[in-house]
Amino acid sequence: MAAPSAPPRARALLQQCLASRLQVKPPEPGSEAEWVEIQRGLVIYICFFKGASEELIPKMVNTLLNVKLSETESGKYVSVLDLPGNLLIIPQATLGGRLKGRNMQYHSNIEKEKGMQLYSHFVTLCEKELAANMKCAEAGVVVKYGTYGNRQVLKLDTNGPFTHMIEF
Amino acid sequence: MAAPSAPPRARALLQQCLASRLQVKPPEPGSEAEWVEIQRGLVIYICFFKGASEELIPKMVNTLLNVKLSETESGKYVSVLDLPGNLLIIPQATLGGRLKGRNMQYHSNIEKEKGMQLYSHFVTLCEKELAANMKCAEAGVVVKYGTYGNRQVLKLDTNGPFTHMIEF
């Protein structure tokens, strides 16, 4: 029997996409909504729990960018760096919910201020890793990301969502 | 400290959608792909682990159809039955993956034959519950679902994916 494991400090959900579009600024009187968009690549939904800290970020980024979940034209699975594919990062605090009766509770989620810092660090490190990767730089793949705390209005077009969850 | 909990027997991932479209038959020479489509409602990705059995299904369906995660026009959260909203059920074995090095492994996933039976039972019970609910029947909401074992090609349009995970 497995030993009781420590509660996770972060949860990431991964979905492969052909294209994906995320609203980063809602429409307001006099201004239209703003969107970011990626073509083929990886959508990363991310949620931090209480106890998560900065030293977790390099491990998370390293794992998520190197796990072999991206399908090549020939059907082989490689990392998003090796595809090379684009990244769309979505802050998704709801992923930290736990069922209580008929409602979800979010007591384990990190405080907003701290979560915002970790999220920002996570995005920056993803950008650095893609920029430092020759294949990615040559292909011109990009990192796009949602605004922490916003409603994440998403349009997703997949060739098989291949939904995976990885906890840290 | 919490007692070590038993490993989950099923994992469901929920996303709210404005509209969603799932391929249920891939294109073949001489025939186009077939799709099912729902308008506003709930996308349920579902994965069964070893040890899951039939008696789990009523509890799962009851929980998922009654958890208050569907947003009304006025911003209140109600169940998908109370919305009333449509259901799109997607078999998603990849949700059961565990990271091993740079690869995902699926050793905890249920055997295919057994998973197919549970999935079929799950879909049938969702259909029954919606049919038995007066609000749903009057609104004409529907249950659509993917084919177990197929590649799930998905197009999703959300007003906030509000991604939640519930384990059983």
Side-chain angles (χ1 to χ4, degrees), chain A residues 109-123:
Chain A
N109 280 37
I110 203 163
E111 306 76 17
K112 183 165 178 183
E113 189 72 17
K114 183 73 187 157
M116 200 178 286
Q117 284 169 21
L118 293 176
Y119 176 70
S120 168
H121 186 178
F122 180 85
V123 168

Side-chain angles (χ1 to χ4, degrees), chain B residues 28-124:
Chain B
E28 284 171 14
S31 71
E32 290 190 359
E34 285 176 23
W35 298 77
V36 292
E37 186 168 1
I38 65 166
Q39 298 302 311
R40 191 160 179 200
L42 185 61
V43 179
I44 305 179
Y45 304 81
I46 196 105
C47 171
F48 293 104
F49 294 103
K50 279 176 186 143
S53 57
E54 296 289 341
E55 85 268 10
L56 190 61
I57 306 294
K59 190 194 165 193
M60 288 178 69
V61 171
N62 182 49
T63 298
L64 298 175
L65 299 192
N66 286 294
V67 63
K68 295 178 181 176
L69 291 176
S70 296
E71 193 182 13
T72 64
E73 298 295 337
S74 60
K76 198 183 150 199
Y77 285 87
V78 299
S79 71
V80 68
L81 291 176
D82 278 341
L83 189 57
N86 302 281
L87 289 186
L88 178 65
I89 305 168
I90 306 180
Q92 188 83 134
T94 52
L95 265 182
R98 288 184 71 89
L99 187 68
K100 174 80 184 272
R102 292 179 61 195
N103 295 289
M104 295 302 279
Q105 293 185 334
Y106 307 93
H107 298 322
S108 303
N109 280 36
I110 203 163
E111 305 76 17
K112 184 165 178 182
E113 188 72 19
K114 182 74 186 156
M116 199 177 286
Q117 284 169 19
L118 294 176
Y119 176 72
S120 168
H121 186 179
F122 180 85
V123 168
T124 306

Side-chain angles (χ1 to χ4, degrees), chain A residues 17-22 36-38 43 88 154-157:
Chain A
C17 77
L18 295 176
S20 190
R21 203 164 174 247
L22 183 73
V36 292
E37 186 168 0
I38 64 165
V43 179
L88 179 66
L154 173 72
K155 293 174 195 297
L156 183 66
D157 187 355

Side-chain angles (χ1 to χ4, degrees), chain A residues 77-115:
Chain A
Y77 285 87
V78 299
S79 71
V80 68
L81 290 176
D82 278 340
L83 189 59
N86 302 281
L87 289 186
L88 179 66
I89 305 168
I90 306 180
Q92 189 81 138
T94 52
L95 264 182
R98 287 183 71 89
L99 187 69
K100 174 80 185 272
R102 291 179 61 193
N103 295 289
M104 296 301 280
Q105 294 186 333
Y106 306 93
H107 299 322
S108 304
N109 280 37
I110 203 163
E111 306 76 17
K112 183 165 178 183
E113 189 72 17
K114 183 73 187 157

Side-chain angles (χ1 to χ4, degrees), chain B residues 65 121-133 143:
Chain B
L65 299 192
H121 186 179
F122 180 85
V123 168
T124 306
L125 196 53
C126 285
E127 288 175 328
K128 274 191 193 156
E129 291 296 320
L130 256 73
N133 181 288
V143 178

